[in-house]
Amino acid sequence: MNNISEITRQDILDIIKDGFIVHLDEPAYDSNVGDYIMEYPVKIPFYGRIDEISFLSRIYDLEKMPSKDSRYRNALGDISCHLRFGDYDGDCWFFSDDRFNLRHGDGDEPLLKFLCEMLHPAVRNEKSDWKRYLDKFNELLRTDGYELYPAQHISGRDVYRARNYIEPTQPCFPDSLFTERYKELVVYGQGQPIDNISGSVDLNAKKHICKIMLEFREPMRYQPNRYDSWTENTDALEQAVRRLNEHLEIPVVDLRVLNISPCSDYEILAAHFTPFLFDIIELQYDELSSREKTAFQAEINTSLQRDNVSFKLNDSGLIEQLAVHEVLTSDIIALSTQIQEPGLRELFDLAIEKHMQPNLQSHKDAVEKLWDVLERLKTYYADLDKRQSADKIIEDMACGQDAYKTLFSTEFKELTTIGNDFRIRHHETNKIDIVDIRHYDYFFNRCLALIALALQYLQ
């Protein structure tokens, strides 16, 4: 793919080489200059806290790349020598070197991989302005249809990968609320509420996010009756609570208690049912101004990440579950680029996209699409019939070992049986229903594990 334009590529190169200017929304005091500033320059080395050779070696196998200097057998010796003696013209000499595929016309993937590696926790300096670079890269890439997103966590830190950018849609509340999206796993209204989706979020984590919710009580005016000009002063949090109570038709949260209880406000708020707190966060995000939305999202996600909570507030303002304990990883997502057959690649990408969306219907669709991937995978080798093509895939996966042939052949048959017996690809009345989202996730992960392995052996 060559979706990244020559202009965008050059803009990115200029940022990596020279840095850029950060423009502030409001004046900030700079102790270095002894005055308030509205902008400041940012520049970080692309190799972060390691060196150039170590950085490039994370992306390229320099020992197998050719040398441009006859004195050395490979690119590693060649580049190491010329870096040591400062022979290269500029810090980013490799952007014009055809061995690195970073020039215009060399495709999008090498550049996207380079940018993700710049932001990798093992590379980036956490004390630097690397997040400004992330924002700037995304500002440029989104115009050409890509974005960098946190695909997984390592030691509590985000690891970024590239994906196609889709403009976030504005959720339609109350149908899009957390408790509505996960209503099969959340029971309330009669007796003790049951939470089978966010029950692992402990009280301390809830206290931390409630502190943030109370900090973002952005003032606003509310008009209770559109036919009456009378308005009242309120704030984003109060509005969010009011909207939730109106939707549920019961006062599940009463902020007036905060003024009369001896406990801290955030402790009182944190004592509420976790799914309702997630509802309020989504509604509060919806009420905030654009600038406050960005800060609120960042604070909430930092808190959730710090407390190892497997949820995040996405760009649409919805709390979604992270796939931190699943087969799905950024490396498996990246396998899509190895699929040569367009139809198979499109199905695989669609299944992944559906599974990452925070609602039951999307998880259902993801399982159905993944079983379609499984069936299409069996016919990957078009010059063979379906049985022969599947046998070749199994043969390659097994590396000629009979025990593994039996294992993988059995697993292919078992997954085919599951797809036929359960309501996955077929919807006749005699099929077994799947009503628990966790069962869908089990089927998805089991099938994905086999597919992900098979994709690595395709020729």
Side-chain angles (χ1 to χ4, degrees):
M1 300 287 287
N2 281 291
N3 293 332
I4 301 176
S5 70
E6 182 179 8
I7 297 171
T8 298
R9 190 177 292 264
Q10 187 59 53
D11 286 343
I12 291 173
L13 173 57
D14 289 343
I15 288 170
I16 295 174
K17 287 173 58 178
D18 306 320
F20 59 99
I21 300 296
V22 173
H23 299 280
L24 303 176
D25 293 329
E26 55 187 33
Y29 186 77
D30 187 339
S31 58
N32 293 322
V33 300
D35 200 356
Y36 286 89
I37 59 172
M38 287 296 296
E39 60 182 34
Y40 68 94
V42 172
K43 186 178 189 303
I44 62 174
F46 66 85
Y47 48 84
R49 53 180 173 170
I50 58 179
D51 57 71
E52 291 181 68
I53 288 291
S54 298
F55 176 83
L56 293 173
S57 296
R58 293 176 62 86
I59 309 174
Y60 306 96
D61 189 345
L62 299 180
E63 292 185 351
K64 293 184 179 179
M65 290 172 62
S67 171
K68 291 195 172 184
D69 187 324
S70 60
R71 296 174 296 173
Y72 301 98
R73 295 190 312 172
N74 54 41
L76 179 61
D78 170 10
I79 295 169
S80 298
C81 174
H82 289 284
L83 280 176
R84 187 163 58 250
F85 290 101
D87 297 334
Y88 290 120
D89 182 19
D91 293 335
C92 298
W93 52 272
F94 45 82
F95 269 90
S96 59
D97 189 319
D98 58 5
R99 291 175 294 184
F100 295 96
N101 298 321
L102 294 171
R103 303 166 303 170
H104 182 61
D106 284 338
D108 300 334
E109 186 181 351
L111 177 59
L112 294 170
K113 189 173 183 180
F114 185 96
L115 300 181
C116 290
E117 209 60 40
M118 275 187 67
L119 303 174
H120 194 283
V123 174
R124 72 193 189 218
N125 185 340
E126 295 294 340
K127 296 180 180 179
S128 71
D129 265 333
W130 69 268
K131 288 185 178 179
R132 296 285 190 182
Y133 270 71
L134 170 64
D135 292 341
K136 193 65 175 177
F137 288 154
N138 274 334
E139 177 187 328
L140 295 169
L141 290 172
R142 283 169 179 161
T143 61
D144 290 337
Y146 293 109
E147 69 173 347
L148 307 182
Y149 75 103
Q152 67 179 111
H153 298 295
I154 295 180
S155 300
R157 300 177 185 180
D158 287 331
V159 177
Y160 291 88
R161 292 290 180 266
R163 66 183 176 190
N164 292 332
Y165 174 66
I166 300 174
E167 187 74 29
T169 56
Q170 188 70 20
C172 180
F173 294 126
D175 293 342
S176 297
L177 282 174
F178 183 88
T179 50
E180 289 295 326
R181 301 196 307 275
Y182 293 107
K183 58 187 176 183
E184 290 83 1
L185 301 177
V186 177
V187 180
Y188 57 88
Q190 294 182 346
Q192 186 70 20
I194 299 173
D195 178 8
N196 288 324
I197 179 68
S198 56
S200 61
V201 182
D202 64 28
L203 182 59
N204 283 330
K206 291 167 65 176
K207 288 179 180 179
H208 295 154
I209 61 174
C210 286
K211 281 185 178 180
I212 297 169
M213 294 163 69
L214 289 163
E215 289 172 4
F216 281 82
R217 301 187 69 160
E218 185 178 24
M220 60 182 60
R221 296 187 68 81
Y222 166 58
Q223 185 176 354
N225 189 330
R226 63 175 177 169
Y227 300 108
D228 192 331
S229 60
W230 179 77
T231 60
E232 62 182 44
N233 293 323
T234 183
D235 61 53
L237 179 57
E238 287 183 356
Q239 279 292 89
V241 170
R242 179 190 61 78
R243 290 171 66 183
L244 178 61
N245 289 340
E246 287 181 355
H247 166 58
L248 298 175
E249 298 182 342
I250 52 174
V252 294
V253 179
D254 187 353
L255 293 181
R256 293 175 298 179
V257 177
L258 304 183
N259 300 321
I260 60 176
S261 173
C263 299
S264 300
D265 291 353
Y266 67 88
E267 292 178 317
I268 299 170
L269 196 56
H272 287 87
F273 191 42
T274 305
F276 290 157
L277 287 180
F278 283 177
D279 283 346
I280 295 171
I281 288 174
E282 294 177 345
L283 291 168
Q284 186 172 359
Y285 179 91
D286 189 51
E287 292 289 340
L288 291 169
S289 62
S290 297
R291 186 174 66 180
E292 290 290 278
K293 274 182 169 65
T294 302
F296 181 67
Q297 179 189 23
E299 291 286 339
I300 290 290
N301 286 337
T302 298
S303 180
L304 293 173
Q305 183 177 333
R306 187 185 300 118
D307 289 322
N308 293 315
V309 176
S310 58
F311 291 89
K312 74 171 185 178
L313 181 60
N314 67 22
D315 292 340
S316 295
L318 301 180
I319 295 285
E320 65 181 11
Q321 191 172 28
L322 298 175
V324 293
H325 303 300
E326 300 194 32
V327 174
L328 183 60
T329 66
S330 58
D331 291 335
I332 289 180
I333 295 173
L335 288 174
S336 170
T337 61
Q338 300 181 22
I339 304 175
Q340 300 300 316
E341 204 270 295
L344 180 61
R345 183 171 60 250
E346 182 179 349
L347 275 174
F348 181 79
D349 288 341
L350 184 57
I352 298 297
E353 177 187 337
K354 290 287 186 182
H355 183 70
M356 295 176 72
Q357 294 177 12
N359 60 74
L360 178 62
Q361 185 58 51
S362 291
H363 283 237
K364 290 180 179 179
D365 295 342
V367 172
E368 179 179 344
K369 295 302 179 186
L370 198 63
W371 250 262
D372 290 343
V373 171
L374 181 69
E375 292 304 312
R376 188 156 185 150
L377 178 64
K378 296 175 186 177
T379 64
Y380 185 79
Y381 296 106
D383 56 332
L384 303 175
D385 63 34
K386 185 175 183 178
R387 177 63 181 271
Q388 292 173 327
S389 176
D391 287 345
K392 175 171 173 51
I393 291 172
I394 293 170
E395 179 78 25
D396 292 341
M397 291 171 64
C399 299
Q401 299 183 60
D402 290 339
Y404 283 99
K405 288 182 188 177
T406 302
L407 172 67
F408 296 136
S409 179
T410 301
E411 185 66 358
F412 267 103
K413 291 176 182 177
E414 285 289 332
L415 289 171
T416 299
T417 300
I418 289 172
N420 290 333
D421 290 350
F422 289 82
R423 201 176 301 280
I424 294 176
R425 300 184 70 241
H426 307 285
H427 303 280
E428 294 86 349
T429 55
N430 63 337
K431 302 303 176 185
I432 303 170
D433 281 326
I434 310 171
V435 296
D436 191 324
I437 191 173
R438 291 166 293 187
H439 295 167
Y440 275 107
D441 290 346
Y442 162 74
F443 289 134
F444 182 89
N445 286 317
R446 179 172 175 179
C447 190
L448 180 65
L450 183 67
I451 290 173
L453 182 62
L455 291 179
Q456 298 175 62
Y457 290 89
L458 296 181
Q459 299 174 6

